[in-house]
Amino acid sequence: MGARARRKCVSAAERTLRRPAELAAAGLIPGNEVAGLEPVTARYELALPPALARLIDPADPADPIARQFLPDRRELQRDPGELTDPIGDNAHSPVEGIVHRYPDRVLLKLLATCPVYCRFCFRRETVGQGEGMLPPAALGQALAYIAARPEIWEVILTGGDPLALSPRRLEGVARRLAALPHVKILRVHTRVPVAAPERIDAALIAALKASGKAMYIALHANHPRELTPEAGTACGRLIDAGIPMLSQTVLLRGVNDDVETLASLMRAFVEARIKPYYLHHPDLAPGTAHFRLSVEEGQKLVGALLGRLSGLCQPTYVLDIPGGYGKTPVGPNRLRRGEGDRLEIVDWRGNTHSYPPG
Ligand code: SF4
């Protein structure tokens, strides 16, 4: 099929694509790749919603949107260093649905499904496996765990993607969290504003605000093309409703591992009133070696952003230490011990200056 004909099919895809044959019918992959990709999507779930399918240019073999969301045979190759639970969620999960890694905050994993499945997902061994929400008994136990610990100041709703839940279910959770006075902050991690922007409507926003608590939304996006006008409108609705937004981006080989793309992405976030927050070093998830780059390469990219972009646009480059030991900033070190007691500090142009010890 020619590129033009394939594009025509893509624009006609109006529902989420879940099988390689559907990708081929939409012109996103050649028909002769379907059989080879069936074992990949049998192992790791596939979902490509229309808003993201429309962004893919099938004529471009290096398309950064396709790379993130279309299955690849290399996903079945497992490197010896890769881990089933790369950031150690299980080591800190006292009850189903809760990850309690740091003293003052917990993750509440409300569901294990997403509107789109990223081919590099750090929870790929667990997301896409179940259906719907955490069962009522497990949700009750998770909320009881939070209720019994006054040191928990922040609850991070994650999964899966919590904004894939219906407004009714989200509001139910928000109202139960509203009854816990020591929980002051709710944070939602989501890809919905880019993957299904039409879901961000008045009912969903009302559900999010039902807790009455300070609420933040962290948007996962990795390439500036994901921030379409529709995504911008969806984010604008949330922000105008009094919900501040942050970003999180995974540094990915072949998607955003160049300064121009990262700079455009960070500026696009800020232009959409979203504060860049985390730039994640890619985790050691199974079958994702083709996405990974070294920490040194990441540090070079982040160092190049420093001189080029406003402070508003600077994310924190972090690595999740395998085993569940948490996130650590791993940006380039600009400070070192010089002669005597003095320090040497490197400016954004790469020039070194001497600074008194204090
Ligand atoms: S949206 Fe998040 S949890 Fe869902 S597949 Fe992508 S990275 Fe994984």
Side-chain angles (χ1 to χ4, degrees), residues 90-287:
N90 293 340
H92 298 281
S93 185
V95 296
E96 186 182 355
I98 292 282
V99 177
H100 195 176
R101 203 184 320 269
Y102 310 98
D104 72 338
R105 55 208 184 270
V106 291
L107 303 184
L108 175 55
K109 295 201 226 175
L110 287 177
L111 75 173
T113 55
C114 298
V116 61
Y117 290 106
C118 311
R119 307 318 300 179
F120 49 85
C121 176
F122 66 127
R123 294 203 178 110
R124 61 191 334 228
E125 297 291 341
T126 51
V127 298
Q129 305 297 320
E131 273 185 28
M133 201 167 146
L134 201 58
L139 178 62
Q141 279 182 356
L143 292 169
Y145 179 89
I146 298 169
R149 287 165 179 79
E151 69 274 20
I152 297 176
W153 173 80
E154 180 182 18
V155 175
I156 300 161
L157 305 180
T158 183
D161 195 322
L163 297 195
L165 289 172
S166 68
R168 183 181 61 82
R169 284 180 182 266
L170 263 180
E171 182 173 338
V173 175
R175 290 204 183 280
R176 291 171 79 176
L177 287 166
L180 308 180
H182 58 283
V183 174
K184 305 293 186 195
I185 306 292
L186 300 183
R187 188 187 343 156
V188 175
H189 282 199
T190 184
R191 237 187 189 306
V192 163
V194 297
E198 67 283 356
R199 289 187 67 86
I200 309 295
D201 59 12
L204 187 126
I205 291 171
L208 286 170
K209 292 181 68 95
S211 74
K213 295 183 186 291
M215 151 86 59
Y216 291 77
I217 290 191
L219 172 69
H220 172 186
N222 302 320
H223 192 277
R225 270 172 41 207
E226 293 171 51
L227 297 173
T228 59
E230 293 78 14
T233 301
C235 294
R237 276 192 206 117
L238 290 163
I239 297 164
D240 289 343
I243 303 174
M245 289 188 71
L246 311 164
S247 75
Q248 51 175 355
T249 291
V250 186
L251 188 56
L252 297 165
R253 168 96 57 216
V255 174
N256 55 22
D257 60 334
D258 64 278
V259 180
E260 291 303 329
T261 303
L262 275 182
S264 302
L265 176 63
M266 297 305 150
R267 280 192 168 145
F269 280 137
V270 173
E271 287 165 21
R273 295 182 283 161
I274 300 168
K275 173 69 188 88
Y277 181 35
Y278 280 145
L279 177 64
H280 297 273
H281 189 74
D283 294 309
L284 294 166

Side-chain angles (χ1 to χ4, degrees), residues 54-69:
R54 280 194 287 271
L55 295 183
I56 293 175
D57 178 359
D60 178 2
D63 184 87
I65 310 298
R67 190 166 166 80
Q68 291 183 70
F69 305 121

Side-chain angles (χ1 to χ4, degrees), residues 266 270 274-276 309-315:
M266 297 305 150
V270 173
I274 300 168
K275 173 69 188 88
L309 297 182
S310 154
L312 269 179
C313 300
Q314 303 290 339

